[in-house]
Amino acid sequence: MYTRFLGSLLLCFLCVSSLRAQENLSTINLMPVPAKVTLANSHYSINKDFTVELQGSSTIRLQKAATRFVARLRGRTGISFSQDFIKGNGMPSPNGLLVKVEKEGTLALNMDESYTLQVTDEKILLEASTDIGALRGLETLLQLVEVGKEGFYLPTAKIEDQPRFPWRGLMLDVSRHFLPLEVVKRNIAAMAAVKMNVFHWHLTDDHGIRVESKVYPQLHEKASDGMYYTQEQIKEVIAFAAERGIRVVPEFDLPGHATAWCVAFPELASAPYQYMADAILDEKGMMDLNVKTAPYHIERNAGIFDATLDPTNEKTYEVVGNFLNEMAALFPDVYMHIGGDENEGKQWDANPEIQAFMKEHNIADNHMLQNHFNKRVLKMMEANGKRMVGWDEILVDGLPKNAVIQSWRGKESLAQAAKDGYQVMLSNGYYIDLMHPAEHHYLQDPLPDNHDLTEQQAKNVLGGEATMWSELVTPETVDSRIWPRTAAIAERLWSPAEVKDVEDMYRRLSVINWQLEELGLQHLTYQEKLFRNLARGYDIEPLKVLARVAVPLRFYNRNSMGWMYTTYGSSYRQFVDALGPDARDARDFNEWVEAYLDGGDLSKEQAIADLLAQWQGNHIAIQQLINKSPALEDIENLSYRLSEAARVTLEALQLQEQPSYEWYRERLDIIDQARFDGPTTKEFLKVEKQSLAKGGSRATLPVVTAMERILKVKAGQLMAYRTRKDITVDGVLEEWKEADWQVFTNGAQYTGGWYKADSAWYALRWDKQHLYLAFKVKDSDVTAVQQERDGAKLWEDDGIEVLFDPLHHRSAEWQEDDIAYHVSAANIIMDEKGMKGEQYDASWTGNAITAVKVKGTLNEEKSADWGYTVEMAVSWDELGVKPKKDTALGMTLCVNDKNSVTETYEYFDYMHLKVFHAPHRFATLRLSTASEEKTDQKTQ
């Protein structure tokens, strides 16, 4: 084994062509970061005489963009310029901005968006091959604006820039919640500000068809609740986007997600029932097609529904074909998205006519039946000069190579499709509706460093799209769910791959955040407006304090445990709707704690204490607000648990000596309760399906792991109880039913709520001969391939590790008495003691007794595993310890598991260690002669 660093990032430097003189790139706020930047040590002053002149191909698009540029510069600086509307070519001003363009750009894949920008202390020159490239350069120029003692200025610089990927999109779902035209347009304007170039408009789904059809008016008349875009409005959006160098790609989801289609055309449905739960099936599982229930109706809940178009019905192709013909004329872009996702085929399976069709045509399964449908639709699209885009479910054998695959289920499908010759784009990792922090999205790359594609295959990767599904948003809140995080995704898709410094990204994002507001976005203003409404006009500062440390539940945990938000019946004006995924104070607190505990920065202690004191005291003010406004009752528990966790963390921060185990456990439980305002960790992990209890604020506190780290570093303890019975080490854990089971999990999975979170339950016992350890590790994909004891890569396998500091030296370095045991899920051991030169001594062989039972399958990726149990006995002689009451030694417990995001193995441990084999951060193991206290946690 070797020292492992968790959560560390390599610092990547920006590409520059020369020394950067006095000024460093970390002082400017460009997002996306350009491909090549050179900074000098002077500046260009902006004053009332500033002008813009156009030369070369002065297109209408460029004139409008230049006019908007001047207006935004005027608004940002407060300077009144002599120019208002920029028109045509003209002689350049000797000290203004000259924009030189060779030709008008074509809105298409691989359009030329490159530009060069040169700022001297006297003038500015922007050159581009196309007007679209010039638009990108104008956005960079606006981001360069700074202010100093003498006024507003631009740093002198030379920038040469072009995008890394040609497809940089935002998908906006307007079916589940309809979003008015002004919302769509202001988000397109924001896309242009960060150099995105594809607006993917999700216009149909189970919840409504949002586009006017003159060929089949019943589509928007019957299946939209009256909320749809007229064709004139569609044209308005397309023109608005084109003026900003953005293509519009419509999506019409087929053949699944078809409830709204079936409302307008019930004869196209694959079943007379909207829900297969209503179907009466015969002994062969087939339904009676003549029995009808209530007519189809538009869906109001989130979820995957049964309604699917009938691919064996010729009228389906007639209606779909005529509709697509109409839409092809309306949307000029060559690409059209057909969805194709989440068709579970339940109606197809139970329809005897569809089954007979499949048999007659040798169609093996539902995937190939959908492929039959897709190929017919593809011909319709090709007849209109269109290319098909679909979610990755459409990728099956026989799909024509001219289809484009949008990968949402995983990077593996994207890579395989690229290898198979398909053009692809990534959305997996860019699902902004899941409320991950910006960092999560920023580190997802369509072409990661470790990809195995050839140069030609890599060219098939077009880029990616952020996806904004609208189950839980409204026109008031949607901006805050898209921005500013989508700017980080825009940078990932535009900037060089080596630009990935997370801290610098957040620095620049904080500036871009408020700059985006000038485009009409409401992502900042909506919060105080909502808080004033909830507080009925009373002081909202206590709500703002809580909001700076709380985040919404991530993934789809807001809909869980019998609670389901409906499209129009549920309130989306709750406290959680005002929260963003990157809580400012939470981020600062976590960084300060890491610097204090891992970096030895004692200067951060006071800042940590100040925030803890603020959170502790804020609950009184929250209670007073709740008394005045019952609409805030759902945050009372969240506020109280934060206050209590802050109180005990502050106590731990001020500890001078290690307290009793009882003191420690009581405070550990208090901090643990703050993870959710619903269940405790134990209660939560009892639930087989990882979801949260009904009610509460639907928010969580991403500072709890940092609080727990403070407590554990100051007072971390483990307790082993004296066993009164013989223990057989067989992995079955029969003797452990009444044990005092405790739990730890990956701290990263705590932030913002869990989704299928892996965890480790443990219990400790001892007798005169052995220390006994039992683990129940929840792991949804158990992998362990090494078969050789002490194998060099054994640490890469799933398993547990136990580390001991037997003499309790609490040294920062690994000592000769220190021992580590790794037990893989295949029950292969790797153990080591002390050092052998500069390496940990794996040649040492211990005599630990181990047993493992896998609950599920081993090394089968597609299987759903529960996890595995481990039982272990370590002799006191091997540890060199004489057991007795109050014996103390250093110890920590670890789990090795594969990170599904980074595809790497990493450890999570009881003490949340950043560096392993560091005994000074181990917990203190104490031996108790008392009987174990029974807990409500029996078996998991």
Side-chain angles (χ1 to χ4, degrees), residues 444-599:
Q444 312 298 318
D445 197 309
L447 280 174
D449 295 339
N450 61 350
H451 76 79
D452 62 351
L453 303 180
T454 66
E455 182 178 352
Q456 185 57 45
Q457 290 167 349
K459 291 179 180 179
N460 288 332
V461 180
L462 301 179
E465 285 186 357
T467 49
M468 184 66 248
W469 301 104
S470 64
E471 286 96 335
L472 299 172
V473 299
T474 65
E476 184 180 29
T477 63
V478 66
D479 294 355
S480 69
R481 273 51 188 148
I482 301 175
W483 307 102
R485 291 174 299 151
T486 297
I489 298 173
E491 176 161 292
R492 175 56 51 238
L493 300 174
W494 177 284
S495 300
E498 59 268 21
V499 178
K500 58 180 72 171
D501 184 333
V502 171
E503 294 307 312
D504 191 62
M505 178 274 291
Y506 272 112
R507 178 190 66 79
R508 292 177 287 113
L509 192 65
S510 67
V511 177
I512 300 302
N513 191 27
W514 61 261
Q515 289 180 348
L516 287 169
E517 195 173 27
E518 71 188 22
L519 300 167
L521 293 180
Q522 298 179 10
H523 65 299
L524 296 179
T525 56
Y526 87 104
Q527 186 186 76
E528 290 198 9
K529 177 181 176 182
L530 196 155
F531 281 167
R532 283 192 295 271
N533 179 269
L534 289 173
R536 299 178 58 245
Y538 292 101
D539 182 17
I540 63 172
E541 185 58 30
L543 297 178
K544 293 167 69 175
V545 169
L546 186 57
R548 289 196 297 267
V549 69
V551 297
L553 292 176
R554 291 180 185 148
F555 301 99
Y556 296 113
N557 279 321
R558 189 167 173 177
N559 282 320
S560 58
M561 294 294 282
W563 179 268
M564 181 66 72
Y565 282 77
T566 60
T567 308
Y568 298 107
S570 298
S571 172
Y572 296 92
R573 293 180 60 83
Q574 300 172 300
F575 177 80
V576 66
D577 295 300
L579 301 181
D582 281 291
R584 188 188 74 191
D585 285 357
R587 179 170 172 78
D588 287 345
F589 182 81
N590 291 337
E591 288 181 355
W592 294 342
V593 169
E594 183 167 346
Y596 172 65
L597 295 180
D598 301 319

Side-chain angles (χ1 to χ4, degrees), residues 44-52 92-98 120-124:
Y44 172 92
S45 296
I46 302 172
N47 57 45
K48 63 182 180 60
D49 298 322
F50 175 82
T51 58
V52 178
S93 169
N95 59 354
L97 166 63
L98 172 61
T120 70
D121 55 1
E122 295 182 348
K123 58 185 178 181
I124 309 163

Side-chain angles (χ1 to χ4, degrees), residues 86 139-140 152 168 235 267 370 390 422-423 468 569 584 681 737 802 836:
I86 311 300
E139 295 296 344
T140 298
F152 289 92
R168 307 177 309 281
K235 292 175 183 177
E267 65 271 27
Q370 181 160 335
Y422 294 94
Q423 290 187 318
M468 184 66 248
R584 188 188 74 191
T681 300
K737 287 184 177 180
V802 184
K836 189 175 184 179

Side-chain angles (χ1 to χ4, degrees), residues 801-859:
E801 186 172 355
V802 184
L803 296 94
F804 291 101
D805 174 21
L807 299 182
H808 211 21
H809 288 140
R810 301 185 69 85
S811 169
E813 303 296 333
W814 197 245
Q815 301 295 313
E816 292 306 312
D817 65 302
D818 298 332
I819 301 175
Y821 302 92
H822 178 98
V823 183
S824 80
N827 198 26
I828 307 298
I829 298 175
M830 182 179 192
D831 48 16
E832 59 197 27
K833 182 176 182 180
M835 302 292 292
K836 189 175 184 179
E838 296 183 357
Q839 300 294 323
Y840 303 107
D841 189 1
S843 66
W844 175 82
T845 300
N847 295 298
I849 305 168
T850 64
V852 178
K853 295 288 184 183
V854 175
K855 295 186 176 183
T857 58
L858 189 63
N859 302 327

Side-chain angles (χ1 to χ4, degrees), residues 667-702:
R667 281 150 183 79
L668 188 60
D669 287 345
I670 290 172
I671 291 176
D672 177 69
Q673 289 171 6
R675 294 198 185 279
F676 304 108
D677 59 348
T680 64
T681 300
K682 286 185 177 182
E683 292 168 342
F684 173 74
L685 291 174
K686 280 182 183 180
V687 182
E688 186 64 26
K689 182 180 179 181
Q690 298 298 331
S691 55
L692 301 173
K694 179 179 178 179
S697 67
R698 321 305 287 181
T700 189
L701 303 166

Side-chain angles (χ1 to χ4, degrees), residues 61 104-111 132 136 197 238-239 241-248 332-334:
R61 175 163 49 210
E104 182 175 8
T106 301
L107 280 176
L109 183 67
N110 295 313
M111 55 188 167
I132 297 172
R136 309 301 184 233
N197 66 356
I238 292 170
E243 288 176 357
R244 288 154 180 80
I246 293 175
R247 300 159 46 213
V248 178
D333 199 85
V334 71

